């Protein structure tokens, strides 16, 4: 079973390239972030034509997440628990049947948090704590679980080409990395990190200052696996070539293969 995460950075602007990549990669499940589309305007038809069931939790012009699955959804939950007043569309969770039972998948788009001296950073930290609490509850179910998405966290210096350039950024501040460790220390495995050693691989290159040309990237897109999902992990990859295509997102897809 191939599971992917991809911050598409505007699904309507990139629907053709998304369809092309889905045809090539053919993931069984794909979590999208930054769809930037309300649910009623999401371009479902081209994806359904590829055989995907589509669930969305969007909003106009900003944020938004979606889950595409070749298998039907058994249950869908939108919004991260813990703050009923939070209007930002950043979390979508679904249960998907597999041969051995079910797998629970969540599309996650964690807040950026910049500038860090503003309430945006407080919101980021609070959102991360809500995610930790919810992930802890999900892990008690002892199911195969994948938290897939753009976490807007650079966990270590190995996850940036030039970590010194990020020391004052909300993605790399000590409190951000501490909250991310608290999440993974619940028992979640960073799928790419246990299959790749050393620097990278990167998943984001800014549009500015020739970052892509200089390979000045960071790794902020993750597939975090429960112990039950980790036991099934066969391989991971990052489809870096997607960043070099016309009208590309500034992120690239990250994929993990789980044995059923």
């Amino acid at each position: 079973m191939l599971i992917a995460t991809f911050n598409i950075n505007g699904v309507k602007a990139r629907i053709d390239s998304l369809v092309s990549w889905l045809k090539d990669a053919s993931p069984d499940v794909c979590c999208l972030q930054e769809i930037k589309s309300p649910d009623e305007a999401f371009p479902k038809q081209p994806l359904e034509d590829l055989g995907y069931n589509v669930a969305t939790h969007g909003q106009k012009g900003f944020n938004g997440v979606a889950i595409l699955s070749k298998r039907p959804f058994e249950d869908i939950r939108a919004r991260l628990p813990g703050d009923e007043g939070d209007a930002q569309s950043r979390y979508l969770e679904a249960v998907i049947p597999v041969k051995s039972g079910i797998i629970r998948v969540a599309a996650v788009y964690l807040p950026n948090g910049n500038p860090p001296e503003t309430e945006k950073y407080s919101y980021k930290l609070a959102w991360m704590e809500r995610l930790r609490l919810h992930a802890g509850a999900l892990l008690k179910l002892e199911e195969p679980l994948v938290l897939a998405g753009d976490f807007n966290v650079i966990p270590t210096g190995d996850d940036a080409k030039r970590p010194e350039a990020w020391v004052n950024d909300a993605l790399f501040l000590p409190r951000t990395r501490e909250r991310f460790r608290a999440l993974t220390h619940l028992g979640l495995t960073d799928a790419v990190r246990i299959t790749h050693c050393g620097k990278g691989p990167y998943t984001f290159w800014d549009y500015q200052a020739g970052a892509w040309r200089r390979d000045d990237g960071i790794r902020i897109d993750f597939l975090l696996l429960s112990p039950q999902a980790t036991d099934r992990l066969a391989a991971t990859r990052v489809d870096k070539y997607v960043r070099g295509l016309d009208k590309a997102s500034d992120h690239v897809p990250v994929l993990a293969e789980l044995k059923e």
Side-chain angles (χ1 to χ4, degrees):
M1 184 178 194
L2 194 59
I3 299 179
T5 183
F6 188 8
N7 181 321
I8 194 66
N9 193 10
V11 68
K12 285 189 262 188
R14 306 186 210 285
I15 187 63
D16 291 341
S17 59
L18 174 61
V19 167
S20 177
W21 172 76
L22 288 170
K23 286 179 179 178
D24 289 342
S26 193
D28 297 282
V29 178
C30 181
C31 295
L32 301 176
Q33 302 85 41
E34 270 199 287
I35 61 174
K36 298 181 181 179
S37 168
D39 295 337
E40 63 274 13
F42 187 92
K44 287 185 177 182
Q45 193 62 52
L47 306 175
E48 291 174 342
D49 290 345
L50 294 179
Y52 286 102
N53 298 282
V54 180
T56 64
H57 178 43
Q59 63 183 97
K60 185 176 181 180
F62 299 95
N63 306 323
V65 285
I67 302 176
L68 318 179
S69 173
K70 291 183 177 179
R71 306 177 193 193
F73 300 112
E74 287 191 351
D75 186 34
I76 299 172
R77 167 187 281 179
R79 297 189 181 279
L80 183 67
D83 184 356
E84 293 301 320
D86 186 359
Q88 297 190 29
S89 300
R90 294 184 174 275
Y91 185 87
L92 182 64
E93 179 185 313
V95 174
I96 299 168
V98 296
K99 293 177 183 178
S100 56
I102 62 101
I103 186 167
R104 189 179 297 270
V105 178
V108 177
Y109 179 44
L110 206 143
N112 178 284
N114 280 302
E117 65 276 7
T118 68
E119 62 181 16
K120 291 183 178 181
Y121 190 58
S122 300
Y123 173 68
K124 178 189 185 85
L125 295 178
W127 206 96
M128 295 181 79
E129 176 62 9
R130 287 163 57 198
L131 181 61
R132 186 189 68 82
L133 292 172
H134 184 55
L138 295 180
L139 286 168
K140 291 178 181 178
L141 300 175
E142 298 189 352
E143 300 169 339
L145 166 69
V146 181
L147 301 182
D150 174 1
F151 283 74
N152 270 316
V153 175
I154 305 170
T156 72
D158 281 345
D159 299 301
K161 178 71 172 290
R162 296 183 302 119
E164 67 277 6
W166 297 89
V167 291
N168 295 316
D169 193 282
L171 278 64
F172 197 51
L173 289 176
R175 292 177 70 190
T176 304
R177 290 182 284 150
E178 179 185 356
R179 292 288 172 99
F180 188 76
R181 286 194 300 272
L183 174 64
T184 58
H185 287 177
L186 292 172
L188 293 167
T189 297
D190 178 351
V192 168
R193 183 47 68 212
I194 65 167
T195 54
H196 294 76
C197 297
K199 279 279 193 180
Y202 308 129
T203 65
F204 169 91
W205 295 259
D206 198 283
Y207 290 128
Q208 306 298 320
W212 168 244
R213 176 179 52 79
R214 295 183 290 109
D215 196 26
D216 188 5
I218 56 177
R219 190 173 75 98
I220 57 176
D221 301 89
F222 302 95
L223 296 163
L224 301 183
L225 312 183
S226 69
Q228 294 76 15
T230 303
D231 287 344
R232 305 181 185 191
L233 180 63
T236 65
R237 76 173 196 260
V238 175
D239 281 355
K240 181 178 177 180
Y241 77 91
V242 174
R243 181 63 176 82
L245 301 177
D246 289 341
K247 298 181 180 179
S249 171
D250 41 9
H251 296 250
V252 296
V254 180
L255 302 95
E257 181 183 352
L258 304 183
K259 297 175 288 186
E260 290 200 59

